[in-house]
Amino acid sequence: MLHASFTDHVYPLHTHDTWGVLIVDHGAVAYDLEHDRHGATHSDVTLLPPHVPHDGRSATSSGFRKRVLYLEHDQFDEHLIGRAVDCPTLVDSPLRAGIARLHQALRHPDDEFEAESRLALVRERLEQHLHRSLPPPSRARDSGLARQLRHLLDARIATGLSLSEASRLLNTDATYLVRCFSREYGMPPHRYLTGRRLDHARRLLLAGQPAAAVAQEVGFFDQSHLTRHFKGLLGVTPTAYGDRRGARVDTAPPHGRAPGQ
């Protein structure tokens, strides 16, 4: 991936051997793709095909800020290159939001399962655009398959697994697996696994184990990885949470009185 900001820089004509997926966070980009003039704004997703000459420059005096994903050329069939040349601009707000979330996941290489899941959904949506076959919102539901993945995640809390491994073990398509699980449980599988790890971490911290040891035992990459997710969910660091283990909240009412009396 690439994150960049430019004011005066102008890209000369060049090519890539990958597919480029561009979103603009500020300003606007003007570019020529195989002799045709195009533009990219904040609301667009731009798909630049491999081996096709293009340039790039700011469309405004204030410059632009962009994020780009580069996907290997074999991620989509070669015959789809022409369709991307004909229509490189995709107006699809859910796709753009999914790409932004994928960029966020990729900033943390210790969250590989999340990045892999988000990439599968982005790739599927891009392919649907290229085939001109956008379906209605997915209603994929397979309770049995979703339960199988949940049991697999429960058994692999500490060791974890990749999305490709899960799809191989369950003999199904990775994207379909993510959709079925999300539909059944209201969250993607990577978030479920993180939640289970945090539940386990809370118990160990309250038992007096140090945060560094807890991180390793419950499957986080290191203490900082645990801290980021723990603080995101509970608003405190694991160390601060563990330091409160001596405090107890008495929820029982005083003797002889009912709650609220």
Side-chain angles (χ1 to χ4, degrees):
M1 64 176 178
L2 169 70
H3 295 182
S5 298
F6 293 112
T7 301
D8 301 320
H9 178 69
V10 175
Y11 284 102
L13 279 174
H14 63 286
T15 64
H16 298 289
D17 58 2
T18 57
W19 294 83
V21 185
L22 164 73
I23 58 175
V24 177
D25 293 314
H26 169 77
V29 178
Y31 65 96
D32 292 343
L33 179 66
E34 206 172 62
H35 311 299
D36 289 329
R37 181 67 54 87
H38 298 278
T41 67
H42 182 271
S43 60
D44 303 330
V45 173
T46 300
L47 181 60
L48 298 172
H51 313 304
V52 179
H54 60 280
D55 59 12
R57 56 203 170 276
S58 178
T60 68
S61 60
S62 59
F64 64 89
R65 186 172 69 250
K66 68 174 183 177
R67 287 178 282 176
V68 187
L69 294 171
Y70 296 100
L71 306 180
E72 295 295 338
H73 68 90
D74 58 359
Q75 289 295 295
F76 305 112
D77 290 339
E78 187 175 347
H79 76 272
L80 295 173
I81 290 176
R83 293 192 177 184
V85 171
D86 293 340
C87 186
T89 302
L90 311 176
V91 182
D92 184 338
S93 55
L95 172 60
R96 192 195 187 286
I99 292 169
R101 288 191 291 267
L102 174 56
H103 273 280
Q104 185 64 31
L106 288 170
R107 292 173 66 90
H108 303 287
D110 43 20
D111 285 332
E112 182 180 354
F113 189 25
E114 177 180 357
E116 194 178 10
S117 299
R118 296 198 182 283
L119 177 59
L121 297 175
V122 166
R123 183 189 175 283
E124 177 191 56
R125 189 71 172 179
L126 289 169
E127 189 165 38
Q128 289 167 352
H129 275 285
L130 288 170
H131 283 287
R132 311 289 194 263
S133 60
L134 287 178
S138 174
R139 298 298 178 186
R141 190 155 201 163
D142 187 328
S143 298
L145 183 62
R147 283 195 299 271
Q148 289 181 64
L149 178 56
R150 188 193 69 191
H151 294 326
L152 184 58
L153 294 173
D154 288 342
R156 302 279 289 271
I157 290 176
T159 58
L161 77 167
S162 67
L163 181 61
S164 57
E165 182 185 3
S167 63
R168 178 179 56 81
L169 290 172
L170 298 178
N171 194 30
T172 190
D173 175 74
T175 307
Y176 181 73
L177 187 59
V178 173
R179 291 197 180 282
C180 287
F181 190 96
S182 301
R183 182 74 176 166
E184 184 72 16
Y185 296 110
M187 67 179 72
H190 69 264
R191 189 169 298 170
Y192 174 83
L193 178 60
T194 298
R196 291 302 313 276
R197 286 173 167 170
L198 291 175
D199 281 343
H200 193 191
R202 290 167 67 179
R203 290 192 291 271
L204 296 177
L205 290 165
L206 290 176
Q209 290 196 32
V214 169
Q216 186 174 26
E217 184 166 343
V218 304
F220 287 104
F221 187 76
D222 54 21
Q223 184 175 345
S224 64
H225 187 201
L226 167 64
T227 298
R228 177 162 53 83
H229 285 289
F230 199 96
K231 191 171 182 180
L233 179 67
L234 298 174
V236 296
T237 66
T239 300
Y241 184 87
D243 288 344
R244 299 176 182 179
R245 63 185 179 273
R248 293 291 183 267
V249 178
D250 186 1
T251 57
H255 180 68
R257 298 178 61 188
Q261 291 186 329

